[in-house]
Amino acid sequence: MVYMPMAYIYGKKFVGPITPTILALRDELYNKPYSEINWNMARSSCAKEDLVYPPSRMQNIVLACLHKFVEPMLSWWPFNKLRKSALSSLMDHIHYEDENSNYVGLCPINKVLNMICCWIEDPNSYAFKRHLPRIHDFLWISEDGMKAKVYVGCQSWETSLIAQAFCSTKLAKEFAPVLRKAHGFLKAAQVTQNFPTYNSYYRERSKGAWTLSNGENGWPIADTTAEAIKALLLLSKYSPSLVGDPIEEQRLYDAVDCLLSYVNKDGTLSSAECKRTTPWVEILNPSESFRNIIVDYPYVECTSSLVQALILFRNSYPEYRCEEIEECIKKGTLFIEKQQRTDGSWYGTWGVCFTYASFFATKGLVAAGRTYENSVTIRKACSFLLAKQLSSGGWGENYLGCETEDYVDSGSPHVVNSAWAMLALLYAGQVERDPTPMYHAAKELINLQTETGEFPQQGNCWKLQFVSLFQL
């Protein structure tokens, strides 16, 4: 989605008007005069801070051949006809994305690049005019100036988890107005239609899903859908006079149908689509800062959300697609167990990845009937978490673990990591075995809480997770 508009802009060899603003940006962005830059050399240059995954020698050879031999050929007849056809196809896909995402896009990068492509095609076009007001969806003012969000929002994801957290407190009556609003939002945020001819554009089913945000950009996210299903099922247990009417049964079936359509053949769940190909295509990845981004791999935390959602749904609707659901639960649980590392941990997908994945994996296994007493996997997970507990009682983790794919201790407690680790140990029954580590951890979180009831912002802070700790 990002490389499509990049390819279009490059293929058009487009250069905009050179304005004073453009000249000022050139002075600000480059470390030498713009006219002195050797662009052939710049193709392979990268700041050392960003060069996390250097390209292989084979990649360098292939890219050099494309640049030196293939690229010039595409400017000659009849090869330029091929490029013209490709550019037309790219704009077709770009317009499809824009129209079906309400010009919000998948992320701010492809949104802005798509907008530029529409401007290149026609500065006065309807598409470009539709793009302009949606820029504001991504901008916000921080203490030190304007920022751009990495995504349009995560309202559905957070609301689902917050609703689950409130349900775990057993205080639904006291917070009924909050739960009613959350319930209404989740019902309104569900995607109720598929994109037209979505298979032709290499998309997945979307009817019944939830996006990460409010549903407007139309991009279904698999584990957000699973978490929304869990929240709606939990809310359906309360009186409609407290939390509002439950979601229509058919819409819940649509949600489960959509979720099952995302399940891989081995019963696992990826993030935004099924795993479509093999890892060898990662050799096409030109990014020097990120790896494993060409294939949507199955993830422990997504599979855990799948297992939990299906178990909860099965308990309420035991007759609906029962055999498929049972098979998914079994395969998903086995995948989680097989992905455990020798030290007892799991590796996740976020910057704070090990405590996060370990929490989700443990919760999924416990939901599937694994306990400390009957599961070696759970015992190893508890040993890992207890071994990483800091002397203060909390847990911390450095974001560099996401790059090294190994646990990196931050040296100081982080409220989010501490909450994740505590929840995992709670689900695994640590309180019944030895509550002392939990007492120390709870004391650490209490000390970190501010007078307003909030917790401090510490890097990637997901405050909503703490509400679940009320079950202590």
Side-chain angles (χ1 to χ4, degrees):
M1 299 309 297
V2 172
Y3 291 144
M4 280 201 304
M6 290 173 65
Y8 182 84
I9 296 168
Y10 178 80
K12 293 289 284 189
K13 298 294 188 291
F14 179 79
V15 179
I18 308 302
T19 65
T21 302
I22 295 297
L23 294 174
L25 284 170
R26 287 178 175 181
D27 288 339
E28 180 181 336
L29 292 173
Y30 299 104
N31 59 1
K32 64 171 63 176
Y34 187 83
S35 59
E36 297 179 11
I37 297 175
N38 183 332
W39 290 105
N40 282 328
M41 294 293 295
R43 284 179 55 253
S44 58
S45 64
C46 183
K48 63 179 181 179
E49 295 84 359
D50 296 328
L51 190 58
V52 180
Y53 308 110
S56 65
R57 179 175 296 180
M58 179 60 70
Q59 274 184 305
N60 288 332
I61 293 172
V62 171
L63 292 175
C65 291
L66 288 171
H67 176 68
K68 191 169 183 178
F69 302 111
V70 178
E71 168 58 27
M73 286 176 57
L74 293 173
S75 301
W76 306 336
W77 186 90
F79 303 106
N80 57 0
K81 300 291 185 181
L82 178 64
R83 169 161 280 174
K84 183 178 180 180
S85 175
L87 291 172
S88 176
S89 178
L90 280 173
M91 276 311 300
D92 182 40
H93 281 264
I94 288 169
H95 285 313
Y96 184 87
E97 154 71 347
D98 290 343
E99 292 164 5
N100 287 286
S101 69
N102 291 297
Y103 294 84
V104 176
L106 174 62
C107 67
I109 304 172
N110 90 306
K111 186 266 186 299
V112 170
L113 291 174
N114 283 10
M115 182 173 66
I116 293 172
C117 292
C118 292
W119 184 71
I120 293 171
E121 186 182 45
D122 181 1
N124 298 311
S125 67
Y126 172 77
F128 178 67
K129 291 175 182 177
R130 286 289 307 275
H131 262 294
L132 289 174
R134 302 316 303 251
I135 294 174
H136 302 284
D137 290 57
F138 294 97
L139 301 180
W140 61 286
I141 301 297
S142 179
E143 301 86 359
D144 56 348
M146 184 176 287
K147 309 279 188 181
K149 293 184 285 187
V150 72
Y151 201 81
V152 72
C154 49
Q155 298 95 316
S156 291
W157 169 260
E158 291 190 341
T159 303
S160 298
L161 294 179
I162 288 170
Q164 293 177 51
F166 272 117
C167 289
S168 74
T169 66
K170 313 299 183 185
L171 299 172
K173 290 183 179 180
E174 288 81 349
F175 297 106
V178 176
L179 287 172
R180 178 181 286 271
K181 290 180 180 179
H183 198 183
F185 170 80
L186 287 175
K187 289 184 286 187
Q190 187 182 24
V191 180
T192 57
Q193 297 293 331
N194 286 317
F195 294 145
T197 62
Y198 64 92
N199 286 323
S200 301
Y201 289 87
Y202 311 103
R203 298 293 189 91
E204 301 279 1
R205 169 188 169 136
S206 55
K207 183 180 179 181
W210 277 264
T211 70
L212 192 62
S213 56
N214 60 3
E216 195 174 18
N217 78 345
W219 274 96
I221 301 298
D223 59 336
T224 301
T225 299
E227 295 298 331
I229 291 172
K230 288 165 57 182
L232 289 168
L233 287 169
L234 290 172
L235 290 168
S236 70
K237 306 297 183 184
Y238 294 99
S239 169
S241 62
L242 286 177
V243 300
D245 294 329
I247 191 170
E248 297 171 14
E249 192 172 90
Q250 184 56 53
R251 288 179 60 184
L252 195 59
Y253 290 162
D254 288 340
V256 172
D257 290 344
C258 186
L259 185 61
L260 290 175
S261 74
Y262 277 70
V263 176
N264 299 309
K265 293 180 180 179
D266 58 356
T268 60
L269 199 66
S270 304
S271 62
E273 62 184 20
C274 296
K275 183 182 176 183
R276 296 180 174 184
T277 185
T278 57
W280 68 263
V281 298
E282 293 290 351
I283 62 173
L284 301 175
N285 178 17
S287 172
E288 296 161 322
S289 301
F290 306 99
R291 65 179 172 188
N292 298 336
I293 61 172
I294 303 298
V295 180
D296 197 357
Y297 297 95
Y299 298 114
V300 165
E301 56 270 44
C302 295
T303 304
S304 173
S305 293
L306 168 72
V307 169
Q308 295 171 56
L310 292 181
I311 289 174
L312 206 57
F313 177 80
R314 181 189 62 184
N315 294 341
S316 298
Y317 301 91
E319 302 300 323
Y320 190 78
R321 301 185 67 172
C322 55
E323 293 182 3
E324 296 169 71
I325 288 174
E326 191 65 32
E327 188 69 13
C328 282
I329 293 171
K330 289 180 180 178
K331 288 183 176 180
T333 304
L334 288 174
F335 169 78
I336 295 172
E337 291 180 325
K338 289 179 180 178
Q339 290 299 305
Q340 189 178 39
R341 298 188 170 199
T342 55
D343 64 357
S345 69
W346 284 271
Y347 172 68
T349 57
W350 300 92
V352 278
C353 48
F354 282 88
T355 48
Y356 173 82
S358 296
F359 155 58
F360 260 95
T362 301
K363 186 177 180 182
L365 291 174
V366 171
R370 307 295 198 270
T371 66
Y372 186 89
E373 288 72 21
N374 69 13
S375 173
V376 174
T377 305
I378 296 291
R379 292 199 293 273
K380 288 171 62 178
C382 292
S383 296
F384 168 80
L385 290 171
L386 292 172
K388 301 303 180 185
Q389 188 174 23
L390 301 172
S391 57
S392 64
W395 282 262
E397 187 172 351
N398 193 294
Y399 77 94
L400 291 173
C402 197
E403 296 177 0
T404 63
E405 298 188 8
D406 199 5
Y407 179 82
V408 179
D409 191 353
S410 65
S412 59
H414 193 296
V415 284
V416 174
N417 295 105
S418 299
W420 283 334
M422 284 188 72
L423 285 167
L425 290 169
L426 281 168
Y427 281 113
Q430 181 63 37
V431 173
E432 289 75 15
R433 292 188 301 277
D434 179 10
T436 304
M438 308 302 286
Y439 293 158
H440 292 162
K443 185 177 180 180
E444 178 72 7
L445 284 183
I446 291 170
N447 291 337
L448 287 169
Q449 190 176 29
T450 66
E451 293 182 357
T452 62
E454 293 182 291
F455 291 84
Q457 183 78 28
Q458 298 172 293
N460 302 329
C461 185
W462 291 6
K463 298 179 183 177
L464 59 96
Q465 296 286 353
F466 310 136
V467 185
S468 294
L469 290 172
F470 287 158
Q471 64 185 286
L472 277 168

